[in-house]
Amino acid sequence: MSTTQTEPDSETGVDPRRWLALVVIAVAQLMVVLDASIVNIALPSAQEALGITDANRQWVITAYALAFGGLLLLGGRIADFIGRKRAFVIGLVGFGVASAVGGLAQNQGELFGARGLQGAFAALMAPAALSLITVTFSEPKERAKAFGVYGGISGGGAALGLILGGVLTEYASWRWTLLVNTPIAIATAAAAVVLVRESRAEGKPRYDIPGVVTSTLGLGALVYGFTKANESGWSAASTISLLAAAVVLLAAFVVIERKTAEPLLPPRVFTERNRAGAFLVSLLLGLALFGMFLFLVYYMQGTLHYSAVKSGLAFLPFSVGVIVGAGIASTVLPRFGPRPLMVGGTAMAAVGMLLFTQITVDGAYLSTVLPAQIVMSVGMGLAFVALSSTALVGVEEHDAGVASALVNTTQQVGGSLGTALLNTIAATATASYLSAQAGKAAEGLVHGYTVAFNWGLGALVLASVLSAVLVTKQRPAPEVEGEETAFEHAEELALI
């Protein structure tokens, strides 16, 4: 057996090292998800150390999210053609180097640039990771378990990043929230060379550069437009110009994808009913989840006066809840199919968000925040596993990387839009409250948070409705003697 490529077992036709490969893929995915949130708690320390202005500090977060979300589709296509294992290893090494540059940054420009590079390499690594799962695990029950691991990491990793960010910032340095990635990324890349099997799409590689430019710039203009609305107001010329540019660019992207021979986002990937439902639900979950993290951090540190470590640890129940929900989903998904899990999971998440709207200035963690976290996190875990599986089942192998990228893209785009849009909504609500009731700053801030939570609640209710309407009841047929044809057909639906 080669030391650099795992061959399928001659009798079973499956990769004998597939579970070890899953560990490698899981570690890489955890780093990608962590870095979307780990610097949140470290941001005040980084801002003070590098002299970053209040106006520019947002770019520590958005530089990563925009590069990641904007380049994921291209990353998925590159992974399809150059080889998913190769793209995975390149992404890991590049991510580790970019993390080191950010951790050693001496000014804000270096830090912003490093965060953008992290996002770009994550955009290559993440879709390769997910598509490697789809081609490594061909048996439906095993694939469901693998998606359970992936779903737990995708949902719980953001909360875990807040915990690690608090611990590293308080007991080491904000720089270690970035530097910690470097040795892990290099070691994971070395393990991937040995344990992960290569796969790639057939055909001559062609890349849709006009699609890349219009989609990336369009998403960037949209997120930045929401950010400018917070700074200058919705009626400001800069805000209107950015939002108008976003509409034009994204409309151009749609036209390009419909007409080009090798589209960045093939319409056939998005037009299948179940898959479209999964992508829309993923977008809405990202919006609600990122917004919840943002305002809950402010609430715990600003209103409840928690330290960085205490506020980070306060998110631990959320991580546990997502893992529990993902474990349940991976067990029951092959039997019941994705629809009950997506509808029930998003409805549970909505109930949790409804509880978050009840926070007050005099509120307590145990009576208000903790119950909301538990309910919302379990629901998120159920939904994440179901939508990840639904988004990829039945897609042609040639498009596996693009479909995988869309799972991550929708979450990141939803998170970026949610952070910018809900922050603007919260700030507007707070300003209106204070203009009517001067001198109640704490109450005004909490009012802004609850208004944002209500918008997040609306997104989750919509996600539940879309899950019920767009996702079918289809599930794998039972594995019973005499029913091989039906079960083999179910396996074909799962293969990519």
Side-chain angles (χ1 to χ4, degrees), residues 71-88:
L71 296 175
L72 269 169
L73 292 175
L74 176 62
R77 182 55 74 194
I78 291 174
D80 279 342
F81 286 117
I82 72 170
R84 290 143 191 159
K85 172 181 175 179
R86 179 181 297 179
F88 183 66

Side-chain angles (χ1 to χ4, degrees), residues 1-347:
M1 182 178 293
S2 170
T3 60
T4 60
Q5 183 168 309
T6 307
E7 299 297 334
D9 185 277
S10 58
E11 295 183 1
T12 65
V14 298
D15 185 349
R17 296 186 180 181
R18 60 194 180 280
W19 296 109
L20 291 175
L22 178 62
V23 173
V24 173
I25 294 169
V27 171
Q29 177 64 14
L30 181 59
M31 282 195 303
V32 171
V33 177
L34 283 177
D35 259 70
S37 62
I38 195 171
V39 299
N40 284 343
I41 291 179
L43 182 55
S45 297
Q47 181 181 358
E48 181 180 355
L50 299 182
I52 303 173
T53 65
D54 288 344
N56 288 333
R57 65 185 178 185
Q58 61 163 325
W59 289 107
V60 178
I61 306 298
T62 55
Y64 179 87
L66 288 177
F68 188 19
L71 296 175
L72 269 169
L73 292 175
L74 176 62
R77 182 55 74 194
I78 291 174
D80 279 342
F81 286 117
I82 72 170
R84 290 143 191 159
K85 172 181 175 179
R86 179 181 297 179
F88 183 66
V89 172
I90 293 172
L92 275 167
V93 173
F95 191 86
V97 172
S99 297
V101 173
L104 299 173
Q106 299 302 304
N107 56 63
Q108 63 179 14
E110 291 178 9
L111 180 58
F112 299 160
R115 289 289 287 167
L117 280 176
Q118 277 187 308
F121 281 111
L124 181 63
M125 175 172 48
L130 188 52
S131 56
L132 282 170
I133 291 178
T134 66
V135 298
T136 300
F137 294 91
S138 58
E139 197 275 323
K141 291 183 179 179
E142 287 193 349
R143 176 174 287 183
K145 292 179 181 178
F147 276 129
V149 174
Y150 177 86
I153 289 172
S154 296
L160 183 58
L162 293 169
I163 297 171
L164 290 177
V167 172
L168 290 172
T169 299
E170 188 153 331
Y171 295 110
S173 166
W174 68 268
R175 295 183 181 277
W176 279 103
T177 61
L178 297 170
L179 291 173
V180 70
N181 290 319
T182 303
I184 298 174
I186 300 303
T188 305
V193 171
V194 177
L195 297 173
V196 177
R197 191 171 68 192
E198 183 65 280
S199 70
R200 58 170 53 86
E202 300 297 329
K204 183 179 179 181
R206 296 178 181 176
Y207 302 110
D208 176 18
I209 301 303
V212 173
V213 173
T214 51
S215 63
T216 303
L217 292 180
L219 291 173
L222 189 59
V223 172
Y224 193 41
F226 288 148
T227 304
K228 290 297 291 183
N230 185 19
E231 298 174 354
S232 307
W234 290 101
S235 60
S238 58
T239 302
I240 295 174
S241 298
L242 284 166
L243 295 178
V247 171
V248 172
L249 287 165
L250 293 176
F253 172 69
V254 172
V255 173
I256 290 170
E257 299 312 283
R258 291 173 64 88
K259 295 184 176 297
T260 186
E262 294 290 337
L264 179 67
L265 174 56
R268 61 182 178 273
V269 173
F270 196 78
T271 53
E272 196 274 326
R273 176 176 173 174
N274 291 277
R275 196 171 301 121
F279 290 145
L280 289 173
V281 170
S282 177
L283 182 78
L284 293 168
L285 288 183
L287 186 153
L289 181 63
F290 277 63
M292 184 276 293
F293 280 141
L294 174 67
F295 298 111
L296 196 54
V297 166
Y298 280 126
Y299 176 69
M300 288 194 292
Q301 292 194 17
T303 304
L304 301 183
H305 306 294
Y306 282 12
S307 67
V309 170
K310 188 175 181 180
S311 61
L313 291 174
F315 280 97
L316 184 58
F318 195 94
S319 297
V320 174
V322 171
I323 293 171
V324 170
I328 294 171
S330 66
T331 301
V332 303
L333 178 62
R335 181 177 179 183
F336 296 105
R339 187 184 189 185
L341 293 174
M342 289 179 66
V343 174
T346 51

